[in-house]
Amino acid sequence: MSTATVPDLTTKQRQILQYLRENAATKTYFKSRLIGEELGMTAKEVGSNMTTLQEGSYDVHIEKWGYSSSTTWKVDA
């Protein structure tokens, strides 16, 4: 599913989803802090938007995995 077919997402959510799509093939665990650094967002912004993505039906499965110096997310493509 491309981001063009999910009009209910905000710009930040689209950026995060695209980032996960591009990196999920080579990486499974993502920290909100590190995603934020890559995309110019705070860890809090990433975390609040990840919750929305986690609840949606997209081509990546997102699971909140743990918390240690930033929330960790497990992502399966």
Side-chain angles (χ1 to χ4, degrees):
M1 178 183 294
S2 73
T3 54
T5 62
V6 281
D8 56 325
L9 295 179
T10 66
T11 301
K12 288 181 181 183
Q13 291 165 349
R14 289 173 195 259
Q15 287 179 306
I16 294 167
L17 184 58
Q18 184 62 36
Y19 176 83
L20 295 174
R21 286 175 172 155
E22 290 172 359
N23 293 283
T26 59
K27 191 173 177 183
T28 304
Y29 298 96
F30 297 85
K31 287 194 173 286
S32 293
R33 176 179 46 85
L34 299 176
I35 294 171
E37 287 175 7
E38 288 286 323
L39 301 178
M41 299 178 202
T42 66
K44 187 172 184 171
E45 287 176 310
V46 172
S48 63
N49 285 295
M50 286 287 274
T51 303
T52 301
L53 295 174
Q54 181 182 20
E55 295 169 353
S57 179
Y58 306 105
D59 55 352
V60 293
H61 174 75
I62 302 167
E63 180 181 348
K64 189 172 185 176
W65 194 253
Y67 185 86
S68 169
S69 74
S70 183
T71 302
T72 301
W73 303 90
K74 181 180 179 190
V75 179
D76 297 310

XYZ file of all heavy atoms in Angstrom:
609
model
N 0.848 -1.162 0.000
C 0.000 0.000 0.000
C 0.899 1.232 0.000
O 1.788 1.355 0.808
C -0.877 -0.039 1.251
C -1.775 1.149 1.383
S -2.746 1.111 2.914
C -3.765 -0.297 2.639
N 0.682 2.129 -0.884
C 1.504 3.336 -0.922
C 0.887 4.399 -0.039
O -0.293 4.348 0.288
C 1.626 3.842 -2.359
O 0.408 4.424 -2.759
N 1.699 5.377 0.338
C 1.179 6.435 1.187
C 0.122 7.251 0.462
O -0.687 7.892 1.102
C 2.318 7.364 1.672
O 3.022 7.819 0.533
C 3.230 6.670 2.636
N 0.099 7.217 -0.854
C -0.909 7.959 -1.604
C -2.302 7.395 -1.355
O -3.289 8.087 -1.536
C -0.583 7.924 -3.092
N -2.414 6.148 -0.909
C -3.720 5.536 -0.698
C -4.159 5.584 0.765
O -5.146 4.974 1.113
C -3.723 4.071 -1.182
O -2.762 3.343 -0.413
C -3.411 3.967 -2.641
N -3.432 6.307 1.598
C -3.822 6.437 3.002
C -3.956 7.919 3.362
O -3.149 8.476 4.076
C -2.832 5.714 3.950
C -3.081 4.243 3.980
C -1.397 6.003 3.572
N -5.019 8.574 2.844
C -5.173 10.008 3.022
C -5.443 10.437 4.464
O -5.336 11.606 4.778
C -6.360 10.345 2.124
C -7.141 9.086 2.046
C -6.113 7.982 2.107
N -5.782 9.505 5.339
C -6.087 9.846 6.720
C -4.841 10.083 7.570
O -4.953 10.479 8.720
C -6.964 8.760 7.352
C -6.334 7.379 7.282
O -5.646 7.089 6.282
O -6.534 6.595 8.219
N -3.663 9.883 7.006
C -2.423 10.069 7.761
C -1.929 11.503 7.659
O -2.060 12.145 6.631
C -1.330 9.128 7.239
C -1.562 7.642 7.415
C -0.399 6.857 6.825
C -1.769 7.284 8.869
N -1.305 11.977 8.744
C -0.680 13.292 8.730
C 0.647 13.199 7.986
O 1.148 12.102 7.703
C -0.410 13.795 10.158
O 0.581 12.956 10.761
C -1.682 13.804 10.995
N 1.249 14.332 7.716
C 2.539 14.364 7.035
C 3.596 13.616 7.845
O 4.378 12.836 7.293
C 2.986 15.821 6.799
O 1.992 16.471 6.002
C 4.328 15.886 6.089
N 3.617 13.828 9.154
C 4.599 13.154 10.006
C 4.378 11.641 9.998
O 5.330 10.865 9.943
C 4.529 13.693 11.427
C 5.080 15.085 11.528
C 5.045 15.606 12.939
C 5.587 17.034 12.954
N 5.648 17.597 14.277
N 3.131 11.215 10.049
C 2.833 9.782 10.016
C 3.259 9.174 8.689
O 3.802 8.073 8.651
C 1.348 9.547 10.269
C 0.949 9.872 11.695
C -0.543 10.008 11.888
O -1.319 10.053 10.929
N -0.964 10.094 13.138
N 3.057 9.889 7.611
C 3.491 9.404 6.295
C 5.016 9.280 6.240
O 5.540 8.315 5.698
C 3.021 10.343 5.190
C 1.539 10.311 4.940
C 1.155 11.403 3.951
N -0.262 11.641 3.955
C -1.101 11.165 3.046
N -0.652 10.450 2.060
N -2.378 11.416 3.130
N 5.717 10.260 6.816
C 7.183 10.218 6.834
C 7.674 9.014 7.625
O 8.588 8.310 7.192
C 7.743 11.497 7.466
C 7.637 12.718 6.610
C 8.185 13.939 7.340
O 7.773 14.257 8.445
N 9.124 14.611 6.713
N 7.070 8.783 8.774
C 7.476 7.653 9.612
C 7.183 6.343 8.901
O 8.028 5.441 8.861
C 6.778 7.705 10.984
C 7.254 8.931 11.774
C 7.023 6.420 11.774
C 6.415 9.247 13.004
N 6.003 6.219 8.328
C 5.631 4.995 7.623
C 6.586 4.732 6.462
O 7.045 3.599 6.276
C 4.188 5.090 7.122
C 3.611 3.849 6.449
C 3.654 2.643 7.382
C 2.182 4.115 5.996
N 6.923 5.753 5.712
C 7.865 5.589 4.595
C 9.232 5.163 5.109
O 9.875 4.278 4.538
C 7.970 6.890 3.786
C 8.837 6.762 2.561
C 8.302 5.747 1.560
O 7.091 5.614 1.384
N 9.182 5.030 0.912
N 9.683 5.769 6.199
C 10.967 5.407 6.802
C 10.964 3.936 7.215
O 11.926 3.205 6.947
C 11.230 6.291 8.019
C 12.482 5.937 8.770
C 13.723 6.414 8.363
C 12.440 5.100 9.884
C 14.883 6.081 9.044
C 13.589 4.759 10.571
C 14.802 5.248 10.148
O 15.947 4.902 10.820
N 9.887 3.490 7.836
C 9.807 2.086 8.261
C 9.781 1.147 7.058
O 10.426 0.103 7.066
C 8.569 1.869 9.137
C 8.577 2.620 10.468
C 7.239 2.432 11.179
C 9.726 2.171 11.343
N 9.035 1.502 6.024
C 8.990 0.682 4.810
C 10.376 0.534 4.192
O 10.751 -0.536 3.746
C 8.048 1.307 3.787
C 6.595 1.158 4.125
C 5.749 1.898 3.126
N 4.339 1.601 3.322
C 3.365 2.406 2.961
N 3.628 3.560 2.380
N 2.111 2.066 3.171
N 11.125 1.625 4.171
C 12.446 1.610 3.547
C 13.473 0.831 4.369
O 14.432 0.313 3.821
C 12.947 3.042 3.342
C 12.179 3.792 2.285
C 12.535 5.267 2.211
O 13.375 5.740 3.005
O 11.957 5.952 1.351
N 13.274 0.748 5.681
C 14.293 0.149 6.543
C 13.899 -1.183 7.177
O 14.759 -1.870 7.723
C 14.673 1.143 7.647
C 15.382 2.342 7.083
O 16.551 2.273 6.745
N 14.670 3.448 6.945
N 12.640 -1.575 7.098
C 12.187 -2.800 7.759
C 12.773 -4.068 7.144
O 12.852 -5.098 7.809
C 10.660 -2.879 7.762
N 13.211 -4.005 5.907
C 13.788 -5.192 5.272
C 15.148 -5.556 5.875
O 15.543 -6.720 5.871
C 13.927 -4.970 3.770
N 15.853 -4.569 6.406
C 17.194 -4.818 6.943
C 17.277 -4.642 8.455
O 18.311 -4.929 9.044
C 18.223 -3.867 6.293
O 17.829 -2.514 6.549
C 18.315 -4.114 4.801
N 16.202 -4.185 9.063
C 16.214 -3.902 10.491
C 14.857 -4.260 11.078
O 13.831 -4.080 10.423
C 16.510 -2.406 10.683
C 16.813 -1.978 12.065
C 17.256 -0.515 12.042
C 17.513 -0.034 13.443
N 17.879 1.378 13.484
N 14.833 -4.763 12.315
C 13.575 -5.157 12.945
C 13.165 -4.227 14.075
O 11.999 -3.958 14.260
C 13.683 -6.599 13.488
O 14.056 -7.458 12.415
C 12.372 -7.078 14.067
N 14.131 -3.734 14.832
C 13.829 -2.914 15.999
C 14.229 -1.470 15.753
O 15.321 -1.188 15.266
C 14.552 -3.460 17.233
C 14.090 -4.855 17.573
C 14.794 -5.962 17.127
C 12.927 -5.062 18.307
C 14.360 -7.250 17.408
C 12.481 -6.341 18.594
C 13.207 -7.428 18.147
O 12.766 -8.688 18.421
N 13.337 -0.555 16.110
C 13.550 0.862 15.892
C 13.260 1.625 17.174
O 12.253 1.373 17.827
C 12.599 1.386 14.803
C 12.816 0.776 13.459
C 12.212 -0.429 13.124
C 13.615 1.399 12.525
C 12.404 -0.997 11.881
C 13.814 0.838 11.269
C 13.212 -0.361 10.944
N 14.112 2.549 17.539
C 13.899 3.411 18.692
C 13.295 4.731 18.220
O 13.715 5.293 17.213
C 15.210 3.691 19.427
C 15.718 2.488 20.205
C 16.794 2.928 21.166
C 17.202 1.806 22.077
N 16.225 1.519 23.102
N 12.305 5.208 18.972
C 11.673 6.483 18.625
C 12.706 7.594 18.512
O 12.649 8.423 17.605
C 10.637 6.865 19.691
O 9.555 5.985 19.683
N 13.653 7.629 19.418
C 14.683 8.667 19.433
C 15.482 8.665 18.127
O 15.742 9.713 17.540
C 15.604 8.442 20.633
C 16.773 9.399 20.724
C 17.625 9.139 21.963
N 17.959 7.734 22.210
C 18.985 7.097 21.648
N 19.780 7.729 20.823
N 19.216 5.831 21.932
N 15.860 7.474 17.654
C 16.677 7.379 16.442
C 15.870 7.690 15.181
O 16.381 8.302 14.245
C 17.330 6.002 16.359
C 18.277 5.676 17.522
C 18.810 4.259 17.406
C 19.409 6.682 17.593
N 14.616 7.273 15.158
C 13.750 7.633 14.027
C 13.606 9.148 13.985
O 13.708 9.769 12.930
C 12.360 6.963 14.139
C 12.476 5.449 14.010
C 11.408 7.516 13.072
C 11.189 4.703 14.320
N 13.382 9.743 15.156
C 13.245 11.190 15.241
C 14.480 11.917 14.740
O 14.374 12.920 14.028
N 15.646 11.424 15.098
C 16.893 12.044 14.628
C 16.989 12.002 13.105
O 17.419 12.956 12.470
C 18.103 11.342 15.248
C 18.299 11.653 16.708
C 19.440 10.858 17.345
O 20.176 10.153 16.619
O 19.569 10.935 18.580
N 16.580 10.892 12.525
C 16.633 10.739 11.063
C 15.632 11.650 10.352
O 15.902 12.147 9.261
C 16.343 9.283 10.666
C 17.447 8.326 10.998
C 18.636 8.465 10.067
O 18.447 8.711 8.866
O 19.766 8.348 10.559
N 14.464 11.854 10.978
C 13.382 12.579 10.308
C 13.173 14.003 10.816
O 12.244 14.683 10.376
C 12.074 11.784 10.457
C 12.083 10.374 9.879
C 10.758 9.681 10.143
C 12.394 10.393 8.394
N 14.004 14.453 11.755
C 13.860 15.809 12.273
C 12.668 15.990 13.190
O 12.024 17.040 13.197
N 12.362 14.955 13.977
C 11.256 15.002 14.932
C 11.792 14.655 16.314
O 12.882 14.114 16.447
C 10.184 13.970 14.563
C 9.530 14.139 13.241
S 8.347 12.796 12.963
C 8.226 12.821 11.189
N 10.988 14.930 17.324
C 11.359 14.505 18.672
C 10.914 13.057 18.864
O 10.044 12.563 18.132
C 10.683 15.377 19.750
O 9.260 15.163 19.699
C 11.010 16.848 19.560
N 11.479 12.408 19.871
C 11.077 11.039 20.188
C 9.596 10.994 20.567
O 8.885 10.050 20.233
C 11.937 10.487 21.318
N 9.136 12.026 21.236
C 7.729 12.086 21.646
C 6.809 12.176 20.424
O 5.768 11.525 20.373
C 7.504 13.276 22.576
C 6.134 13.316 23.176
C 6.024 14.393 24.236
C 4.651 14.333 24.878
N 4.558 15.192 26.041
N 7.197 12.984 19.441
C 6.412 13.090 18.207
C 6.342 11.741 17.502
O 5.275 11.319 17.043
C 7.030 14.111 17.255
C 6.852 15.548 17.655
C 7.573 16.493 16.727
O 8.785 16.284 16.456
O 6.936 17.452 16.257
N 7.471 11.070 17.422
C 7.511 9.763 16.774
C 6.616 8.783 17.527
O 5.793 8.092 16.936
C 8.956 9.222 16.675
C 8.962 7.782 16.173
C 9.799 10.098 15.768
N 6.767 8.732 18.847
C 5.980 7.792 19.650
C 4.489 8.000 19.522
O 3.727 7.038 19.360
N 4.038 9.243 19.561
C 2.599 9.488 19.458
C 2.074 9.147 18.070
O 0.950 8.659 17.922
C 2.264 10.927 19.833
O 2.858 11.836 18.944
N 2.883 9.351 17.047
C 2.457 9.004 15.687
C 2.566 7.509 15.411
O 1.792 6.963 14.629
C 3.261 9.809 14.663
C 2.808 11.249 14.606
O 1.688 11.543 14.232
N 3.675 12.159 15.015
N 3.505 6.845 16.055
C 3.640 5.393 15.891
C 2.403 4.673 16.414
O 1.984 3.663 15.855
C 4.881 4.873 16.613
C 6.175 5.220 15.925
S 6.475 4.278 14.429
C 7.254 2.838 15.114
N 1.816 5.204 17.478
C 0.607 4.589 18.038
C -0.500 4.567 16.997
O -1.186 3.559 16.836
C 0.161 5.354 19.295
O 1.235 5.353 20.233
C -1.057 4.718 19.925
N -0.662 5.650 16.270
C -1.664 5.705 15.198
C -1.337 4.696 14.104
O -2.216 3.970 13.629
C -1.735 7.122 14.595
O -2.072 8.040 15.636
C -2.759 7.206 13.484
N -0.065 4.624 13.712
C 0.342 3.674 12.677
C 0.169 2.236 13.148
O -0.192 1.349 12.374
C 1.794 3.929 12.274
C 2.077 5.270 11.607
C 3.569 5.452 11.395
C 1.323 5.388 10.292
N 0.422 2.007 14.430
C 0.293 0.675 15.010
C -1.157 0.194 14.932
O -1.418 -0.982 14.703
C 0.759 0.725 16.464
C 0.723 -0.566 17.209
C 1.167 -0.392 18.659
O 1.163 0.695 19.209
N 1.543 -1.481 19.272
N -2.084 1.094 15.094
C -3.511 0.743 15.095
C -4.085 0.608 13.700
O -5.151 0.032 13.519
C -4.293 1.793 15.882
C -3.923 1.811 17.354
C -4.482 3.007 18.114
O -5.063 3.911 17.465
O -4.325 3.032 19.342
N -3.379 1.131 12.689
C -3.872 1.077 11.322
C -3.537 -0.233 10.636
O -2.832 -1.086 11.172
N -4.053 -0.383 9.431
C -3.803 -1.574 8.633
C -2.922 -1.191 7.443
O -3.415 -0.702 6.437
C -5.135 -2.155 8.151
O -4.910 -3.288 7.362
N -1.607 -1.393 7.612
C -0.639 -1.017 6.584
C 0.216 -2.219 6.232
O 0.057 -3.291 6.806
C 0.232 0.161 7.069
C -0.610 1.325 7.534
C -0.762 1.601 8.883
C -1.297 2.113 6.613
C -1.565 2.654 9.306
C -2.100 3.160 7.030
C -2.233 3.424 8.377
O -3.028 4.453 8.792
N 1.146 -2.040 5.311
C 1.986 -3.147 4.876
C 3.155 -3.413 5.812
O 4.029 -4.201 5.501
C 2.471 -2.924 3.448
C 3.187 -1.597 3.266
O 3.183 -0.771 4.201
O 3.740 -1.375 2.181
N 3.182 -2.775 6.965
C 4.145 -3.077 8.019
C 3.375 -3.309 9.315
O 2.363 -2.661 9.560
C 5.196 -1.946 8.217
C 6.094 -1.827 7.013
C 4.551 -0.633 8.529
N 3.833 -4.269 10.089
C 3.220 -4.564 11.384
C 4.100 -3.932 12.458
O 5.299 -4.202 12.518
C 3.107 -6.073 11.600
C 2.618 -6.428 12.962
N 1.303 -6.293 13.331
C 3.274 -6.877 14.053
C 1.174 -6.656 14.600
N 2.366 -7.027 15.058
N 3.504 -3.089 13.298
C 4.254 -2.358 14.322
C 3.782 -2.800 15.692
O 2.587 -2.835 15.976
C 4.040 -0.838 14.161
C 4.473 -0.386 12.769
C 4.777 -0.080 15.255
C 4.029 1.015 12.397
N 4.748 -3.142 16.535
C 4.444 -3.588 17.894
C 5.345 -2.835 18.875
O 6.561 -2.759 18.678
C 4.722 -5.091 17.985
C 4.453 -5.702 19.305
C 4.774 -7.198 19.308
O 4.987 -7.784 18.228
O 4.830 -7.754 20.409
N 4.734 -2.271 19.905
C 5.533 -1.601 20.931
C 6.281 -2.681 21.685
O 5.694 -3.619 22.208
C 4.631 -0.803 21.872
C 5.396 0.086 22.809
C 4.440 0.990 23.575
C 5.213 1.971 24.418
N 4.281 2.898 25.091
N 7.584 -2.573 21.715
C 8.415 -3.666 22.212
C 8.983 -3.411 23.598
O 9.012 -4.278 24.437
C 9.527 -3.943 21.206
C 10.222 -5.231 21.433
C 11.468 -5.407 21.931
C 9.718 -6.541 21.192
N 11.781 -6.738 22.001
C 10.713 -7.463 21.555
C 8.513 -7.023 20.701
C 10.553 -8.840 21.441
C 8.350 -8.394 20.582
C 9.368 -9.269 20.949
N 9.464 -2.231 23.849
C 10.055 -1.966 25.152
C 10.425 -0.521 25.320
O 10.296 0.277 24.406
N 10.907 -0.192 26.522
C 11.305 1.170 26.803
C 12.642 1.154 27.517
O 12.769 0.600 28.592
C 10.261 1.883 27.664
C 10.595 3.331 27.872
C 10.202 4.276 26.938
C 11.328 3.753 28.969
C 10.527 5.612 27.096
C 11.657 5.080 29.143
C 11.249 6.000 28.210
O 11.580 7.315 28.369
N 13.625 1.730 26.885
C 14.965 1.829 27.465
C 15.672 2.964 26.731
O 16.090 2.790 25.598
C 15.706 0.508 27.284
O 17.056 0.662 27.595
N 15.757 4.107 27.331
C 16.325 5.331 26.764
C 15.551 5.828 25.542
O 15.987 6.733 24.863
C 17.814 5.162 26.425
O 17.979 4.362 25.268
N 14.455 5.236 25.238
C 13.530 5.615 24.166
C 12.671 4.393 23.887
O 13.132 3.264 24.035
C 14.288 6.018 22.901
O 13.385 6.445 21.907
N 11.452 4.601 23.497
C 10.573 3.462 23.192
C 11.132 2.708 21.996
O 11.540 3.301 21.004
C 9.147 3.934 22.905
O 8.663 4.659 24.035
C 8.217 2.766 22.619
N 11.131 1.389 22.093
C 11.575 0.526 20.994
C 10.342 -0.083 20.343
O 9.420 -0.525 21.031
C 12.498 -0.590 21.520
O 13.630 0.012 22.152
C 12.968 -1.483 20.388
N 10.353 -0.102 19.044
C 9.256 -0.666 18.250
C 9.779 -1.829 17.426
O 10.823 -1.727 16.801
C 8.685 0.405 17.314
C 8.215 1.616 18.047
C 8.963 2.727 18.337
C 6.926 1.851 18.585
N 8.207 3.630 19.021
C 6.944 3.118 19.197
C 5.753 1.115 18.632
C 5.845 3.668 19.835
C 4.648 1.664 19.262
C 4.700 2.920 19.846
N 9.035 -2.916 17.410
C 9.348 -4.055 16.549
C 8.516 -3.899 15.291
O 7.295 -3.759 15.359
C 9.022 -5.380 17.235
C 9.356 -6.577 16.391
C 9.021 -7.875 17.080
C 9.355 -9.051 16.180
N 8.829 -10.299 16.703
N 9.184 -3.917 14.143
C 8.500 -3.683 12.868
C 8.780 -4.850 11.932
O 9.920 -5.231 11.704
C 8.976 -2.367 12.229
C 8.284 -2.144 10.887
C 8.723 -1.195 13.167
N 7.709 -5.421 11.408
C 7.798 -6.498 10.416
C 7.192 -6.020 9.118
O 6.073 -5.505 9.110
C 7.047 -7.745 10.905
C 7.627 -8.329 12.161
O 8.861 -8.540 12.196
O 6.875 -8.556 13.122
N 7.929 -6.182 8.036
C 7.425 -5.769 6.715
C 6.536 -6.856 6.136
O 6.690 -8.006 6.428
C 8.580 -5.479 5.779
